[in-house]
Amino acid sequence: MFPVARAAQSLVARRIQHTAVRQAHRKHEPTFHDKYGTTALLGGAAVFLSVWGYVFTQLKIEWGFSPVGRITPREWRE
């Protein structure tokens, strides 16, 4: 291996080890996602389902958009 490549590899390895040691000694503080992640996800799912449940059950939506059989043709003018 070339000396420059070997030096670069050892620097990268040393930096990774240093980062791992620093993170291992640091106390883990719970983030927002650690504290409220599941609750926020379930709350969002509940809101989503309730809104779409209302839309599908209460609004008068015609799901068949095809005009076949609904439109009667007018007589052709000559």
Side-chain angles (χ1 to χ4, degrees):
M1 192 178 266
F2 297 112
V4 175
R6 188 179 308 138
Q9 185 180 13
S10 69
L11 281 174
V12 170
R14 209 174 308 142
R15 186 174 297 149
I16 291 172
Q17 288 174 346
H18 183 263
T19 302
V21 168
R22 186 177 66 232
Q23 288 178 352
H25 289 330
R26 194 174 81 187
K27 290 185 178 179
H28 177 70
E29 300 170 354
T31 62
F32 175 83
H33 297 289
D34 293 334
K35 289 181 182 177
Y36 309 110
T38 306
T39 307
L41 180 68
L42 292 176
V47 169
F48 176 84
L49 290 174
S50 63
V51 167
W52 281 107
Y54 173 79
V55 168
F56 285 133
T57 58
Q58 299 298 318
L59 296 180
K60 305 295 182 199
I61 298 175
E62 291 188 18
W63 296 103
F65 298 116
S66 175
V68 175
R70 294 185 192 166
I71 299 175
T72 56
R74 288 189 290 180
E75 293 295 325
W76 181 258
R77 289 188 235 168
E78 292 188 33

